[in-house]
Amino acid sequence: MTTSNSRRRLLQLLGAGTVASLTAPFLRAFAQDVPRNLLANPRFDVDPFQLGVASGEPSSDGFVLWSRLAPRPVEQGGGMVMRPTPVRWEIADDAAFRRVLRSGDVLARPELAHSVHVEIEGLAPGRPYWYRFMAGDAVSPIGRSATLPAADARVDRVRFAVAGCQHFGEGHYTAWRHIAEEPLDFVFHYGDYIYEGADSGPGERRLNGRPFTDLRRHIGGEIYSLDDYRRRYAQYRGDRDLQAAHAAAPWFVSFDDHEIDNNWAADRDQDGTPPELFLLRRAAGFQAFYEHMPLRLRSRPGVGGHMQMYRRAAWGDLLQAHFLDTRQYRSDQIDGDRDFTLDSPGALQARDPSRTMLGPQQEAWLHAGLRPNDGKRWHVLAHQVGMSNLAMRFGDDPAIKYSSDQWSGYLAARRRLLGHIDDAGMKNVISVCGDAHRHFTSDLLHDGDDPRANGRVVASEFLATSITSGSDGTGQDNDFHRHVTALNPHLKAMTDRRGYVLCDVDRNHWRGELKTLDRVMVPDQPVRTFASFVVENGHPGLQPA
Ligand code: FE
Ligand code: CA
C-alpha cells in the first residue's frame, strides 16, 4: 500500500473527528503502516491497567517500559476488543510528573496479548526516571525506573534484590512489598515467576510432607496453550505487592523451569513427551513470558520458539553482571531427574564432559566475559539453580544424594566454569540464584574429584529462598537441615523460610543479607535479616557480618 493510500485508509478508519484526538507523533509513527483493524478510540468500562506497569533491561541511556491492556485480566483476550490499540507513554523527571521529558505512542497488539514493550534511548546515565501509560481515558499507575551509570563511570555502591519462586497459592507476596520499599538499583528475578500446575481443588493437599490448603487457587488444569499461560500470568500479575515491586525499580528477569514445566531441559520435559510436541508447549510458554516481562525486542521469541536470554549489564566500574540461561541449552537431567548417589550410573554421567548446562555458545560467551583486570571490581553470575554441589540426606535414609537438576548434575560443566574462574585468577566472582526454596549461602570450591581440589575457595554463592513457594516453612528445625549442615562444611547458612537476598555492593565488600518472613500465610508480616555475610574483594570466601 502506498503512503497516500494508507493515509486515506487511516482517515477512513478514524473519521475526521477522531484524527484530532490522536497525537501528532502517533500519526507520524503510524501513517505509513496503519493497521487496517486499528481501534483508534478505545473505551474502557473498567481499568485496563490492572496488571500494573514495569521497567527492565536498563542501559546507560534507557530501559524497557512494559504494560499490558487487560480490563478483565483472567478472561480470554483479557477483556479487550481484539484489534490493535494505541497506547501513549510518558517519561518524567519527577514522581509528580511536573515535567514530562519524553512521550510517544505504541500499538498494543492482540498477537501479543495487548502488551507493550517500549525501548527508550537517549536518556541521561545513572539517574531515576518516572513513567506512565495512557489508553482511551485510562491512566496507568506511575512506575520508577533508572538508567545504568555510564560504562566508564566510577561507581561506589549498588544495591539489588535476588528473588523468585512465587507460587501463587502458597503465600502472600509480602516479600515483594518489602522489596518495593527497599532503595534498590535493580531486581534480579531468577525464575519460577508462575507455576504451571493445576488448581489443587478446595481440599487439603500435601506440601513438604504436611497437609496444606492453598491460600489462592490457580484457575484450571495444568497449562499448555498460549491462552492458558496468559491467564496464569494475569492471575499472578494482578497481585498488588508484586506490582509495587515492579513499579519501584528496573528488573532483569530470567525464566527457570516452572514458566514452562517442572525441570524441563532444552527440548525435553520430565514426562518423556516427544520433543517436537514439547517444543509447541515451550513456544506458548515463551511467548506468554515475553508478553508479561519488561524484555527487549531481541528476546522476543521468533517462529521456532527460541528466546535470547543470556546477556550482560554493567554498573560503571563496580559491577559486571552476567545473566545466564541454564534451561534452554542444557543436556537432559541424568537418572530421570531424580537425586542421585555417587555410586550410581548417574554420577558417571554427571562427570561426562559432553554434557552441558549453558550450551557451547553461551559457555564460550561467558568465559570470554569473565576476565580479570577488566576494570570491574566485581563480577556476578545471575542465574537459576545452585552451584554449591550440596550433599543431601532425606529423613532416615542414610544415602547421600545430589540434585540432578542443579549444577551438581552437570559436574563437568561446573568444573569448566569454576576452573575458568580459578585459572584466570579471578577473586571477585559472586553467584546469585534460587530454585531451592530455602536460603543456601555457601562458598564454591572445586568438587572433591577434581584434580584442582585443594580446599581453596574459588567464589561464593547466595542462593535466595522463595518469595512464597514452600509456604511458611520450617525454619531450621528439621532433619534435612541437620544432615545438610553436617555434610557440607562449605555451606555457611541455610533456612527454610520465605524471603529474598539483598546484595549491597561497594568497592571493597559484597554484603549479602538473607531476608526472611516468619509467615506468608498471614498478610503483612515484617521482614527480618536472618543472617548476613560479607565477601572481601580479592579474598574469596564468606565471612559472617
Ligand atoms: Fe521454584
Ligand atoms: Ca525451579
Side-chain angles (χ1 to χ4, degrees):
M1 194 188 290
T2 66
T3 300
S4 66
N5 269 345
S6 57
R7 188 172 295 278
R8 199 155 55 237
R9 173 86 190 160
L10 173 71
L11 295 176
Q12 284 166 3
L13 268 170
L14 302 182
T18 52
V19 171
S21 73
L22 274 179
T23 60
F26 181 80
L27 285 173
R28 268 204 306 279
F30 294 110
Q32 296 196 12
D33 193 20
V34 176
R36 293 173 199 168
N37 55 345
L38 181 75
L39 182 69
N41 272 320
R43 289 182 216 292
F44 301 104
D45 55 350
V46 281
D47 180 11
F49 291 109
Q50 291 174 53
L51 302 183
V53 298
S55 78
E57 303 295 313
S59 62
S60 56
D61 78 333
F63 33 69
V64 178
L65 302 180
W66 174 93
S67 192
R68 181 189 162 197
L69 303 179
R72 278 175 282 279
V74 300
E75 280 184 16
Q76 186 154 338
M80 288 293 290
V81 176
M82 296 307 273
R83 293 164 63 184
T85 306
V87 177
R88 186 161 187 74
W89 56 267
E90 291 184 343
I91 293 176
D93 234 356
D94 60 297
F97 270 79
R98 276 184 290 271
R99 199 157 81 93
V100 174
L101 299 173
R102 303 273 296 275
S103 60
D105 299 274
V106 289
L107 287 176
R109 292 184 180 271
E111 289 85 347
L112 294 172
H114 290 100
S115 62
V116 293
H117 299 76
V118 187
E119 297 198 34
I120 306 295
E121 298 173 340
L123 301 177
R127 56 148 294 178
Y129 289 94
W130 286 263
Y131 63 92
R132 67 183 173 193
F133 297 92
M134 292 149 188
D137 295 331
V139 182
S140 79
I142 290 169
R144 177 192 168 282
S145 192
T147 48
L148 298 182
D152 58 357
R154 181 189 160 96
V155 173
D156 291 318
R157 192 178 183 193
V158 167
R159 284 166 55 92
F160 66 98
V162 181
C165 287
Q166 50 192 55
H167 193 292
F168 187 64
E170 296 178 6
H172 293 277
Y173 286 170
T174 320
W176 282 127
R177 175 64 57 180
H178 291 296
I179 288 172
E181 290 166 0
E182 298 270 10
L184 294 176
D185 293 291
F186 69 100
V187 170
F188 170 56
H189 194 298
Y190 61 72
D192 289 4
Y193 193 102
I194 56 163
Y195 282 78
E196 79 283 11
D199 168 24
S200 56
E204 283 186 349
R205 63 179 168 108
R206 306 283 296 176
L207 179 67
N208 298 330
R210 295 168 295 177
F212 178 78
T213 301
D214 279 62
L215 178 76
R216 307 180 275 197
R217 286 168 58 185
H218 286 160
I219 297 172
E222 183 162 341
I223 52 180
Y224 284 87
S225 74
L226 179 53
D227 282 328
D228 291 343
Y229 281 105
R230 285 170 171 164
R231 185 163 64 181
R232 194 58 59 86
Y233 280 101
Q235 276 201 284
Y236 280 52
R237 208 61 195 257
D239 184 277
R240 296 293 163 155
D241 292 334
L242 176 58
Q243 289 180 17
H246 272 294
W251 285 31
F252 290 90
V253 301
S254 62
F255 49 71
D256 189 25
D257 52 338
H258 289 287
E259 281 83 354
I260 311 296
D261 185 36
N262 183 51
N263 284 5
W264 68 278
D267 57 1
R268 306 298 164 114
D269 72 6
Q270 61 179 351
D271 303 314
T273 301
E276 64 274 23
L277 296 186
F278 173 67
L279 284 175
L280 297 175
R281 180 188 192 183
R282 197 187 79 166
F286 276 1
Q287 180 171 337
F289 181 75
Y290 171 77
E291 289 170 350
H292 292 84
M293 296 297 143
L295 285 168
R296 291 191 181 268
L297 185 59
R298 65 170 181 238
S299 293
R300 190 175 78 191
V303 176
H306 172 259
M307 273 188 96
Q308 179 58 46
M309 291 298 291
Y310 62 86
R311 71 269 194 211
R312 290 188 240 277
W315 284 259
D317 68 345
L318 183 65
L319 176 63
Q320 177 72 60
H322 310 262
F323 300 97
L324 308 183
D325 175 350
T326 59
R327 284 286 161 201
Q328 204 172 182
Y329 316 104
R330 66 156 81 187
S331 307
D332 199 12
Q333 290 91 344
I334 56 177
D335 267 4
D337 292 16
R338 288 182 302 272
D339 297 327
F340 64 96
T341 58
L342 288 182
D343 56 5
S344 71
L348 284 177
Q349 288 179 52
R351 287 166 171 72
D352 177 353
S354 73
R355 294 181 69 257
T356 177
M357 188 58 133
L358 299 170
Q361 272 184 324
Q362 181 179 198
E363 191 171 309
W365 165 90
L366 177 59
H367 287 196
L370 281 172
R371 289 177 292 115
N373 312 317
D374 65 346
K376 308 293 185 192
R377 294 293 293 172
W378 297 96
H379 285 253
V380 65
L381 307 176
H383 59 123
Q384 290 77 46
V385 299
M387 286 187 69
S388 57
N389 198 31
L390 282 180
M392 302 181 289
R393 264 189 65 193
F394 299 94
D396 298 335
D397 185 351
I400 294 174
K401 293 186 169 174
Y402 293 82
S403 165
S404 64
D405 189 59
Q406 299 173 5
W407 286 80
S408 47
Y410 299 80
L411 210 60
R414 181 185 186 275
R415 271 182 200 174
R416 290 196 294 270
L417 179 49
L418 286 185
H420 172 83
I421 294 168
D422 197 17
D423 293 348
M426 297 184 78
K427 298 179 185 301
N428 59 350
V429 180
I430 303 289
S431 160
V432 297
C433 56
D435 165 69
H437 304 177
R438 287 175 173 83
H439 280 302
F440 286 105
T441 311
S442 43
D443 286 327
L444 302 179
L445 289 76
H446 298 298
D447 67 275
D449 294 337
D450 188 322
R452 290 187 187 84
N454 55 9
R456 203 159 28 82
V457 175
V458 178
S460 297
E461 177 166 276
F462 293 95
L463 188 161
T465 188
S466 55
I467 291 285
T468 52
S469 304
S471 198
D472 286 338
T474 57
Q476 301 180 285
D477 183 25
N478 56 74
D479 287 344
F480 180 75
H481 179 273
R482 282 183 284 277
H483 291 318
V484 171
T485 304
L487 287 168
N488 299 279
H490 60 290
L491 177 67
K492 303 305 176 189
M494 70 175 281
T495 187
D496 178 17
R497 289 280 184 236
R498 311 291 68 85
Y500 54 95
V501 166
L502 187 99
C503 292
D504 191 343
V505 185
D506 68 26
R507 298 188 71 82
N508 296 317
H509 298 95
W510 184 296
R511 182 185 176 87
E513 298 181 6
L514 283 49
K515 301 292 191 182
T516 55
L517 289 82
D518 286 342
R519 298 204 62 195
V520 290
M521 291 302 279
V522 289
D524 301 325
Q525 292 294 287
V527 69
R528 60 196 189 88
T529 303
F530 168 75
S532 296
F533 293 89
V534 164
V535 178
E536 205 180 323
N537 194 286
H539 301 277
L542 295 158
Q543 303 166 27

